Amino acid sequence: MANTSYLEAGHRALREEMQRDERVWALGEDLGRGGVFGQYRGLQDTFGDERIVDTPISEACIMGAAVGAAMTDTRPVVEMRFSDFALCAVDELVNQAAKARFMFGGQMRVPLVVREPIGIWRSSAAQHSQSLEAWYAHIPGLVVVAPSTPADNLGLLKSAIRCDDPVVYMEHKNLWGFEGEVPEDEHLVPLGKAEIARAGRDVTLVTWSAMRHASLETAEELAARGIEVEVIDLRTLWPWDRDTVLASVERTGRLLVAQEAVSVAGFGAEIAATVAETLHDRLEAPVRRLGAPRIPVAYAPPLEDRVRVSKDEIVEAVVGMTRTSPSRVPAGQ
Amino acid sequence: MANTSYLEAGHRALREEMQRDERVWALGEDLGRGGVFGQYRGLQDTFGDERIVDTPISEACIMGAAVGAAMTDTRPVVEMRFSDFALCAVDELVNQAAKARFMFGGQMRVPLVVREPIGIWRSSAAQHSQSLEAWYAHIPGLVVVAPSTPADNLGLLKSAIRCDDPVVYMEHKNLWGFEGEVPEDEHLVPLGKAEIARAGRDVTLVTWSAMRHASLETAEELAARGIEVEVIDLRTLWPWDRDTVLASVERTGRLLVAQEAVSVAGFGAEIAATVAETLHDRLEAPVRRLGAPRIPVAYAPPLEDRVRVSKDEIVEAVVGMTRTSPSRVPAGQ
Amino acid sequence: MTQNAARAEETSANLDSERLLPVLSLMWKIRLFEETAIEAQREGLVLGAIHPSIGQEAVAAGICPNLRQADLLLSTHRGHGHTLAKGADPLAMMMELFGRAEGTCGGKGGSMHIADFGVGMLGANGVVGANITIGVGAAHALKMRRSDDIAVCIFGDGAINRGPFLEGLNWARVYDLPVLFVCEDNGFSATTRTRTLTGGPGAVARAESLGLPAEEVDGNDVLGVDAAARTAIDAIRQGGGPRFLQCRTYRMTGHTAVDPATYRDAAEVEEWRAHCPIARLEGALRLAGVDEARMQQQRTEAEQYMQDVYARARDAEWPDPAQAFADVQDIGNPAERAY
Amino acid sequence: MTQNAARAEETSANLDSERLLPVLSLMWKIRLFEETAIEAQREGLVLGAIHPSIGQEAVAAGICPNLRQADLLLSTHRGHGHTLAKGADPLAMMMELFGRAEGTCGGKGGSMHIADFGVGMLGANGVVGANITIGVGAAHALKMRRSDDIAVCIFGDGAINRGPFLEGLNWARVYDLPVLFVCEDNGFSATTRTRTLTGGPGAVARAESLGLPAEEVDGNDVLGVDAAARTAIDAIRQGGGPRFLQCRTYRMTGHTAVDPATYRDAAEVEEWRAHCPIARLEGALRLAGVDEARMQQQRTEAEQYMQDVYARARDAEWPDPAQAFADVQDIGNPAERAY
Ligand SMILES: Cc1ncc(C[n+]2csc(CCOP(=O)(O)OP(=O)(O)O)c2C)c(N)n1
Ligand SMILES: Cc1ncc(C[n+]2csc(CCOP(=O)(O)OP(=O)(O)O)c2C)c(N)n1
Ligand SMILES: [Mg+2]
Ligand SMILES: [Mg+2]
């Protein structure tokens, strides 16, 4: 085990996979300089500028070229810089990459990974802060991954690169510097498997990406108050690990989802709806979601903070759910 | 009252609003020839080519120009032909139109309507059949409308054009020829108000767009079997009419959502989750969603049909929900 | 243009009729495939929209015979001709239009999504211009592996007003990719004249401004297209980087098979009919002394072939509904009926 | 270039120093606003990323003084200079960078989203190239209402590789819109040299291929920029349709204020420092006989002004958190805290 940052873990994943398979290459803006957050530092020295490719500011072509190159027996890793800029390349991802294998009757596959850093990060404001994982979970053909720890960023990125499906890989910008233990040997994390980050008997708290950490910290605080929260980090949003979530709620009888994204039509709705559909009779309290209000992310901290799910809210929600008589007051919209 | 098609109703709405307010104009491909489905037939003769504007095949610029023109005291109606092509203009809609008013501190508004025809229609295949209303419902700043009848297409399009927010207006391609009664006088339908298309005491069936019709027909069939289904046509997905839906489920104790879109992370999840959160104790059966499986829409009818929610499925779901002991078998994914 | 005219004349002087009879045959194959499909659509056998290229056959037939099977082709919604010319099986294509199990894509794609990876045909596309960046990516992969195969990307004149045109051509130049871009310029963007939607002198000037050698040819003259394509393809194969070819042509049908195309007058259509690319090639072959009967034979064979294709496609099996759930993805592929 | 040089010389012979002293003052205002902001960022007062335009002031100061307040301006992430030159209040802008309630956008936007509709400044933009199509739409609206106001859209050299460049310029030509496009060419796309990412001769050739009259000027020579902009703006205002101006310049800082810009060597930076646009204007004014003290005064006044701006912004109020829920939309605006 070594202590490594989330950023370094992603760096190592790409390096190892590029060493293992020469069909793997990466393309995006400023990669030769290390990428906007330094995730590609030094890789062009190692692999040359034909495998770590500096591209024009042409998101549509970056994604489209990756689709064509993936159909032509290479395995591109696309860097979109901010998931917000990937909105300049949605046709290429959603109409082309996601559908090609199916439309063409299974003649080929589109093994590409698109890295789309998400999340709120230091006054980045409305065009640099979005978390749109729910969009891609809604699109047949796409795999959606949102790692939260250095070990997962290593193991999931490696698995994503090995996957033959197009993978939307969403790192969280606020986690780049986050450190944790990472195995020194080959480390793969299977796509589609959640992690029970903390076991608990009272409430199942399903989360992913950066919210894992606030959730775990809150769970500790709640443990001190005698409430044992089971924290499940989904890691992959499509396919999401229904079995693990349902088994947990089957035990706890309570589901809370904590997501950074806008709650309305966010992926939490899928989880909450599925649990409510499947385990209605087992529920000892109504399912519940926490997420951002349906407002853009503002620049000034007092406003930006209004978007964040706070630990206090998690505490309040958990405590509310574990009271005997569940609240019946309808929330406003 | 006059009998009018859904297409004609939309045509009339635009014509009336263009007559009422000279700041209203429409832009898109082939509008001078009437638009791809004939929705604009003759309008260029009436209003000239400066108000019914034939554009290059430049979806990004169509949408971007509409944003700029909406900020400059005009009221553009954007035609995207198929909602699928609007994926070439997502930055312009989501990063710009939806966020501008907020980002700029409320200095202006972006009163544009973007018409994005959705839905499965006669072997149109994967790139011409999508229903992505859930995406836009997830984006702060956008209003999302999905009319299902001629009268609503008249009254909602007029309201959308008068609305000062950017509106994603999703007509269903399979409804163009659908006929119904439409008031001959000025007819406005308020945004954000659902319609109880059929009253019923046993199950609340929430739907929108083309699924309204299958839902109503099924409800009649079920009535013959003694089950009274209340069919609520949401009409507007954002803001959706929570009050009407919650009041109905409060009465019936059962919620079924029927949507044409992919069920996973579809808007039905938002409704089901909200109802489960809010009315858990009132529910006499688990909430339930019907929607497309998470597969692209294929060309051949036997495959295309697998995507459609059939009346049989609605019947089965309703009957299942009204049985005393709700099913406990978890659905696969 | 003068250069082309000269080259065409020169070519016609020593016409290689043995090489050109198959080209004539190919043009008939395309023409009759599409006429058959249009007829079949009237009968309800073709299920979705089709965009015929009748009148435009010289583009496909001028370019694709200069390609190897391993070369890669990207096409558009109006792609039957290109696909046939690249070597796809007409029967499988017709079955695809009919939505049958043995169609090129198992009935999943239809006309706008025909692909045949076995012959290097990487797909038609339902989104105008989207094939440009995908084609560029295919060329990028070819270059990475030091292949001397090339990619060819054909698109319409309407596509030059979409952003991917700029992004894709720029990309091809920046990385010096082995790709030929072909603008099949039929004068229309769906039902609107492209020139009313296009600033500046047009596609060639745009390509040149992005650093690509570019040329315009008469797209109804298969000899001219063939000569220009051969020159360009040779240069690209030898590592000369991307090139651009604009072929001016005209579609004799509407935008789709059901479009009556009332937006243009009969005189214009008649004028173009006089330039029918098939008749023109026949004229050239006739001048070069090719036997009338051998020419007629190309047509007759194609006719018989397409009749057979039609009959077999009509009787072909529908796909198994379970196939709707196949080939979506490996991870998270939905189980049938469970959602 | 020769034309420009000639024009610049001619201009310098009969310099209108009364008109140019305010331009010098404006350039100092921009320079010192940004130096103040960089310093404030070190102190933690500026919250998000800022992209300084130090060294590029001649573009903003050459173009915007030729505009009316009712003319519309669209800018980029590197937009402080343009915005100040269009007449926005430096104090409100600094408060915006500090995230305060009285900032230009109430603290909601920050540096990359400053807009001041009151002076016709329709917004910076966080998405490269996105302002092009928005600017085109603003010009479209102006034309529709037969206004003789114009729109100006400034973007970087990196933006010419994005699709909206083609779509927007084409659109402007097709509808003959009153819009001036300005490519502020500082040679870099973030941290990569744009020329390594750009096929063909560049922005001017591309604009010309789309039918726009286009010109390149020395973007560090405010007299040249001013002259070219004036000519272009007059022509546009008189109904001459869209025009294009490329201004070659250099940014003296990194891409953002915290980028050490190690990807370029000191000699290059020093060479450009010698072309400092402010020093060049001062040199010209000196030659034209303007008093040293009057020039010094422009700087001193700007310094004092920015010190005051800094102090007042630092002490300004934070926005009320409830404002996070304001101005999202009319219909379906979320109620505070309820979600
Ligand atoms: C991005 C996009 N916008 C619009 C359409 C609708 N559409 C289909 S074909 C077509 C015209 C294309 O014109 P051109 O590129 O010249 O090709 P042609 O049809 O003439 O072969 C249009 C607008 C589309 N398929 N994709
Ligand atoms: C669509 C998009 N892609 C990438 C970025 C990230 N980015 C911000 S500024 C920049 C460089 C832009 O270069 P240029 O247009 O020359 O403007 P400059 O920064 O030199 O003023 C990049 C790549 C972005 N903001 N938007
Ligand atoms: Mg065309
Ligand atoms: Mg630059």
Side-chain angles (χ1 to χ4, degrees):
Chain A
M1 286 286 185
N3 204 52
T4 304
S5 73
Y6 184 81
L7 184 142
E8 284 303 330
H11 187 274
R12 178 179 146 197
L14 180 59
R15 196 181 59 234
E16 287 181 3
E17 292 306 303
M18 288 185 71
Q19 264 148 0
R20 195 185 56 80
D21 182 349
E22 61 175 23
R23 295 168 309 162
V24 178
W25 58 300
L27 65 167
E29 297 152 12
D30 297 305
L31 300 197
R33 291 274 129 218
V36 66
F37 299 105
Q39 320 96 297
Y40 297 85
R41 201 155 21 216
L43 291 178
Q44 201 174 61
D45 294 337
T46 310
F47 296 105
D49 62 6
E50 288 204 358
R51 290 185 69 201
I52 298 288
V53 176
D54 281 315
T55 69
I57 308 177
S58 305
E59 279 73 12
C61 197
I62 296 170
M63 194 84 84
V67 175
M71 289 177 176
T72 310
D73 203 27
T74 74
R75 306 182 75 85
V77 176
V78 171
E79 175 58 55
M80 278 283 132
R81 215 171 167 118
F82 286 74
S83 66
D84 314 73
F85 305 157
L87 301 192
C88 302
V90 173
D91 171 56
E92 290 73 13
L93 179 60
V94 169
N95 284 334
Q96 313 294 338
K99 298 178 176 36
R101 174 177 169 191
F102 180 87
M103 286 191 304
F104 297 153
Q107 294 183 57
M108 35 42 87
R109 288 159 192 222
V110 187
L112 67 79
V113 176
V114 47
R115 295 175 82 172
E116 301 199 3
I118 55 171
I120 304 170
W121 179 62
R122 298 196 205 156
S123 288
S124 296
Q127 290 178 338
H128 290 71
S129 301
Q130 290 167 92
S131 293
L132 296 178
E133 60 271 22
W135 275 28
Y136 304 113
H138 188 48
I139 302 299
L142 297 178
V143 172
V144 183
V145 181
S148 62
T149 67
D152 280 358
N153 204 19
L154 172 63
L156 288 168
L157 184 51
K158 286 171 69 86
S159 295
I161 293 172
R162 295 186 191 188
C163 175
D164 282 338
D165 300 317
V167 179
V168 183
Y169 194 86
M170 301 180 123
E171 285 150 299
H172 195 292
K173 296 188 287 288
N174 212 35
L175 294 179
W176 291 125
F178 186 88
E179 301 202 340
E181 293 297 302
V182 172
E184 284 173 61
D185 295 340
E186 173 85 323
H187 178 60
L188 288 162
V189 174
L191 302 176
K193 279 270 148 236
E195 183 196 3
I196 300 180
R198 182 187 193 285
R201 62 168 188 253
D202 297 321
V203 174
T204 300
L205 172 46
V206 175
T207 189
W208 58 91
S209 189
M211 283 299 299
R212 169 196 173 113
H213 306 293
S215 298
L216 282 173
E217 287 165 27
T218 313
E220 291 309 319
E221 288 173 33
L222 284 159
R225 295 164 65 169
I227 305 176
E228 291 296 337
V229 176
E230 177 144 307
V231 177
I232 298 181
D233 177 354
L234 280 186
R235 307 202 278 200
T236 303
L237 297 188
W238 190 265
W240 66 286
D241 191 344
R242 283 169 56 105
D243 294 345
T244 297
V245 171
L246 293 177
S248 172
V249 180
E250 182 98 41
R251 274 186 280 106
T252 62
R254 293 181 182 86
L255 170 79
L256 175 65
V257 182
Q259 60 198 325
E260 180 178 317
V262 167
S263 183
V264 173
F267 196 69
E270 177 64 29
I271 300 165
T274 302
V275 167
E277 282 167 340
T278 317
L279 297 176
H280 178 72
D281 293 346
R282 294 282 313 150
L283 291 176
E284 308 198 8
V287 297
R288 201 147 166 212
R289 292 172 288 162
L290 294 173
R294 198 174 174 280
I295 59 178
V297 180
Y299 174 81
L303 309 179
E304 193 190 58
D305 276 348
R306 302 303 276 164
V307 175
R308 288 199 174 84
V309 174
S310 66
K311 288 199 226 167
D312 286 351
E313 279 171 288
I314 299 176
V315 167
E316 196 191 306
V318 169
V319 170
M321 292 170 81
T322 47
R323 275 201 209 101
T324 35
S325 109
S327 149
R328 285 281 307 289
V329 185
Q333 69 184 27
Chain B
M1 284 289 184
N3 202 52
T4 304
S5 72
Y6 185 81
L7 183 143
E8 285 303 329
H11 187 275
R12 178 180 145 195
L14 181 58
R15 195 181 59 236
E16 287 180 3
E17 291 308 301
M18 289 185 70
Q19 265 149 2
R20 196 185 56 81
D21 183 349
E22 61 176 23
R23 294 168 309 162
V24 178
W25 59 299
L27 65 166
E29 298 152 12
D30 297 305
L31 299 198
R33 294 271 129 219
V36 67
F37 300 104
Q39 320 96 299
Y40 297 85
R41 201 152 26 213
L43 291 177
Q44 201 175 62
D45 295 336
T46 309
F47 296 105
D49 63 6
E50 288 205 357
R51 291 186 67 203
I52 298 287
V53 176
D54 281 315
T55 68
I57 308 177
S58 305
E59 279 74 11
C61 196
I62 296 171
M63 194 84 85
V67 175
M71 289 176 174
T72 310
D73 202 26
T74 74
R75 305 182 75 86
V77 177
V78 171
E79 175 58 54
M80 278 283 131
R81 217 170 166 119
F82 286 75
S83 66
D84 314 73
F85 305 157
L87 301 193
C88 302
V90 174
D91 170 56
E92 291 73 12
L93 179 60
V94 169
N95 284 334
Q96 312 295 337
K99 298 178 174 40
R101 174 178 168 189
F102 180 88
M103 285 191 304
F104 297 153
Q107 293 183 58
M108 36 41 89
R109 288 161 191 219
V110 187
L112 67 81
V113 176
V114 47
R115 295 173 82 172
E116 301 200 1
I118 55 171
I120 305 171
W121 180 63
R122 297 196 204 159
S123 288
S124 296
Q127 290 178 339
H128 289 72
S129 301
Q130 290 167 92
S131 294
L132 296 179
E133 61 271 22
W135 276 28
Y136 304 113
H138 188 49
I139 301 299
L142 297 179
V143 172
V144 183
V145 181
S148 61
T149 67
D152 280 359
N153 203 19
L154 172 63
L156 287 169
L157 184 52
K158 286 170 69 86
S159 294
I161 292 171
R162 294 185 193 188
C163 175
D164 282 338
D165 300 317
V167 179
V168 183
Y169 193 85
M170 302 182 124
E171 285 149 299
H172 195 292
K173 296 188 286 288
N174 212 33
L175 294 179
W176 291 125
F178 186 89
E179 302 203 339
E181 294 295 302
V182 173
E184 285 174 61
D185 295 341
E186 173 85 325
H187 179 61
L188 288 163
V189 174
L191 301 176
K193 278 271 150 231
E195 183 196 3
I196 299 181
R198 182 188 192 285
R201 61 165 190 258
D202 299 320
V203 174
T204 300
L205 170 46
V206 175
T207 189
W208 58 92
S209 189
M211 284 299 301
R212 170 197 172 112
H213 305 294
S215 298
L216 282 174
E217 287 165 28
T218 313
E220 291 310 319
E221 289 173 34
L222 285 160
R225 296 164 66 166
I227 304 175
E228 291 295 337
V229 176
E230 177 144 307
V231 177
I232 299 182
D233 177 354
L234 279 187
R235 307 203 278 202
T236 302
L237 297 188
W238 191 266
W240 66 286
D241 191 344
R242 284 169 57 107
D243 293 346
T244 297
V245 171
L246 294 177
S248 172
V249 180
E250 181 98 42
R251 275 186 280 106
T252 63
R254 294 180 181 86
L255 170 79
L256 174 64
V257 182
Q259 61 199 325
E260 181 179 314
V262 167
S263 184
V264 172
F267 196 69
E270 177 64 28
I271 300 165
T274 302
V275 167
E277 283 167 339
T278 316
L279 296 175
H280 179 72
D281 294 346
R282 292 283 310 149
L283 291 176
E284 308 197 8
V287 296
R288 196 141 174 217
R289 292 172 289 162
L290 293 172
R294 198 173 175 281
I295 59 178
V297 180
Y299 174 81
L303 310 180
E304 193 190 59
D305 276 349
R306 303 304 278 165
V307 176
R308 289 199 174 85
V309 174
S310 66
K311 288 196 223 165
D312 285 352
E313 280 172 287
I314 299 177
V315 168
E316 194 192 308
V318 169
V319 169
M321 292 171 82
T322 48
R323 277 200 208 103
T324 35
S325 108
S327 147
R328 286 282 305 288
V329 186
Q333 73 184 22
Chain C
M1 280 294 269
T2 10
Q3 197 193 340
N4 291 335
R7 197 166 47 194
E9 254 173 47
E10 181 198 346
T11 325
S12 132
N14 41 29
L15 265 196
D16 179 352
S17 50
E18 290 316 306
R19 206 175 79 84
L20 288 169
L21 272 169
V23 172
L24 179 64
S25 165
L26 172 60
M27 289 170 83
W28 278 120
K29 194 156 120 184
I30 297 172
R31 171 82 46 104
L32 291 162
F33 178 88
E34 294 203 312
E35 286 182 350
T36 305
I38 293 170
E39 185 52 37
Q41 190 175 55
R42 286 201 192 98
E43 296 166 27
L45 285 165
V46 171
L47 305 160
I50 50 174
H51 302 82
S53 64
I54 291 175
Q56 305 185 179
E57 297 89 348
V59 178
I63 287 164
C64 296
N66 291 296
L67 298 176
R68 306 172 179 165
Q69 191 169 78
D71 290 332
L72 304 176
L73 178 71
L74 281 291
S75 177
T76 66
H77 58 285
R78 202 178 302 287
H80 303 150
H82 315 142
T83 308
L84 288 163
K86 190 68 176 68
D89 175 21
L91 175 58
M93 286 174 62
M94 193 64 79
M95 289 197 288
E96 188 63 29
L97 302 194
F98 290 13
R100 305 308 166 96
E102 289 177 69
T104 334
C105 308
K108 285 182 167 174
S111 167
M112 272 194 277
H113 308 296
I114 289 186
D116 186 346
F117 281 66
V119 299
M121 201 291 165
L122 269 53
N125 210 303
V127 179
V128 168
N131 64 333
I132 299 179
T133 60
I134 298 174
V136 157
H140 207 128
L142 292 175
K143 173 152 187 189
M144 279 175 74
R145 75 163 80 112
R146 312 262 180 271
S147 164
D148 72 347
D149 300 328
I150 74 160
V152 176
C153 182
I154 310 184
F155 46 84
D157 45 311
I160 75 166
N161 290 326
R162 281 209 61 224
F165 175 87
L166 176 140
E167 295 192 9
L169 269 67
N170 181 60
W171 188 287
R173 176 75 282 163
V174 165
Y175 304 106
D176 254 325
L177 301 183
V179 53
L180 174 64
F181 297 103
V182 179
C183 178
E184 185 168 22
D185 176 1
N186 60 14
F188 287 92
S189 294
T191 65
T192 306
R193 285 191 198 269
T194 305
R195 87 173 109 74
T196 64
L197 309 170
T198 305
V204 165
R206 292 183 186 188
E208 283 173 347
S209 81
L210 295 162
L212 276 73
E215 192 181 346
E216 179 183 320
V217 294
D218 178 347
N220 278 27
D221 170 22
V222 74
L223 302 178
V225 176
D226 171 69
R230 195 153 2 119
T231 310
I233 288 167
D234 284 353
I236 295 165
R237 218 183 279 295
Q238 281 154 35
R243 298 209 164 210
F244 187 87
L245 199 60
Q246 184 180 23
C247 305
R248 277 207 203 273
T249 181
Y250 195 81
R251 61 169 156 71
M252 298 309 296
T253 71
H255 171 58
T256 61
V258 299
D259 166 21
T262 50
Y263 42 83
R264 58 193 195 182
D265 63 26
E268 178 180 302
V269 179
E270 280 321 303
E271 198 187 310
W272 277 94
R273 200 180 304 283
H275 298 293
C276 169
I278 299 186
R280 277 171 74 176
L281 175 58
E282 286 180 336
L285 289 170
R286 202 171 285 127
L287 272 179
V290 175
D291 196 73
E292 206 68 35
R294 277 192 78 194
M295 287 201 282
Q296 184 56 39
Q297 186 195 356
Q298 311 308 318
R299 176 184 191 150
T300 317
E301 280 177 11
E303 268 167 5
Q304 283 161 357
Y305 188 65
M306 290 307 157
Q307 275 167 22
D308 183 50
V309 157
Y310 168 85
R312 290 170 66 186
R314 190 192 49 205
D315 298 339
E317 298 288 326
W318 292 101
D320 175 352
Q323 284 301 311
F325 292 81
D327 282 318
V328 178
Q329 55 195 107
D330 290 337
I331 307 239
N333 205 59
E336 208 207 335
R337 290 285 70 184
Y339 47 89
Chain D
M1 282 293 272
T2 11
Q3 196 192 346
N4 292 334
R7 196 165 49 194
E9 253 173 45
E10 181 197 348
T11 325
S12 132
N14 42 29
L15 267 194
D16 180 352
S17 53
E18 289 318 305
R19 205 175 78 83
L20 288 169
L21 272 169
V23 171
L24 178 63
S25 164
L26 172 60
M27 289 170 82
W28 277 120
K29 195 156 119 185
I30 297 171
R31 171 83 45 106
L32 291 162
F33 178 88
E34 293 203 312
E35 286 182 349
T36 305
I38 292 170
E39 185 51 37
Q41 189 175 55
R42 288 202 192 98
E43 296 167 26
L45 284 165
V46 171
L47 305 160
I50 50 174
H51 301 83
S53 64
I54 291 174
Q56 307 184 179
E57 296 90 347
V59 179
I63 287 164
C64 296
N66 291 296
L67 299 175
R68 306 171 179 167
Q69 190 169 80
D71 290 331
L72 304 177
L73 178 71
L74 282 289
S75 176
T76 67
H77 57 285
R78 202 177 302 287
H80 303 148
H82 315 142
T83 308
L84 288 162
K86 190 69 175 69
D89 174 22
L91 174 58
M93 286 174 62
M94 193 65 80
M95 290 197 288
E96 188 62 29
L97 302 193
F98 291 13
R100 306 306 168 95
E102 288 178 70
T104 334
C105 308
K108 285 181 168 175
S111 167
M112 273 194 275
H113 307 296
I114 289 186
D116 185 346
F117 280 66
V119 299
M121 201 292 167
L122 269 51
N125 209 305
V127 179
V128 168
N131 64 334
I132 298 179
T133 60
I134 299 174
V136 157
H140 208 129
L142 292 174
K143 173 151 186 193
M144 280 175 74
R145 74 163 80 109
R146 311 263 179 272
S147 164
D148 71 346
D149 299 328
I150 75 161
V152 176
C153 182
I154 310 184
F155 46 84
D157 44 314
I160 75 166
N161 291 325
R162 281 209 61 225
F165 175 87
L166 176 141
E167 296 193 7
L169 269 66
N170 182 59
W171 187 289
R173 176 75 285 163
V174 165
Y175 304 106
D176 254 325
L177 301 183
V179 53
L180 174 65
F181 298 102
V182 179
C183 178
E184 185 167 22
D185 176 1
N186 60 15
F188 287 91
S189 293
T191 64
T192 305
R193 284 191 200 269
T194 305
R195 85 172 113 71
T196 64
L197 309 170
T198 306
V204 165
R206 293 183 186 189
E208 283 173 344
S209 80
L210 295 161
L212 275 73
E215 192 182 347
E216 179 184 320
V217 294
D218 177 347
N220 277 26
D221 170 24
V222 73
L223 302 178
V225 176
D226 172 69
R230 197 156 358 121
T231 309
I233 288 166
D234 283 354
I236 296 165
R237 219 184 276 295
Q238 282 156 34
R243 299 207 163 210
F244 187 87
L245 200 60
Q246 184 181 23
C247 306
R248 278 206 202 273
T249 180
Y250 194 83
R251 60 169 156 71
M252 299 309 296
T253 71
H255 172 58
T256 61
V258 298
D259 166 21
T262 50
Y263 42 84
R264 58 192 198 184
D265 62 25
E268 178 179 302
V269 180
E270 279 322 303
E271 198 188 310
W272 278 94
R273 201 180 303 283
H275 298 292
C276 169
I278 299 186
R280 276 171 75 175
L281 175 58
E282 286 180 337
L285 289 170
R286 202 170 284 124
L287 273 178
V290 175
D291 196 74
E292 206 68 35
R294 276 193 79 195
M295 289 200 283
Q296 185 54 40
Q297 185 193 356
Q298 311 307 319
R299 175 185 192 148
T300 317
E301 281 176 12
E303 268 168 4
Q304 282 162 359
Y305 187 65
M306 290 308 157
Q307 276 167 23
D308 183 48
V309 157
Y310 168 86
R312 289 170 66 187
R314 190 192 49 205
D315 297 339
E317 296 289 325
W318 292 101
D320 174 352
Q323 283 302 309
F325 292 79
D327 282 318
V328 179
Q329 55 195 108
D330 289 339
I331 307 240
N333 206 60
E336 208 208 335
R337 288 286 72 183
Y339 47 88

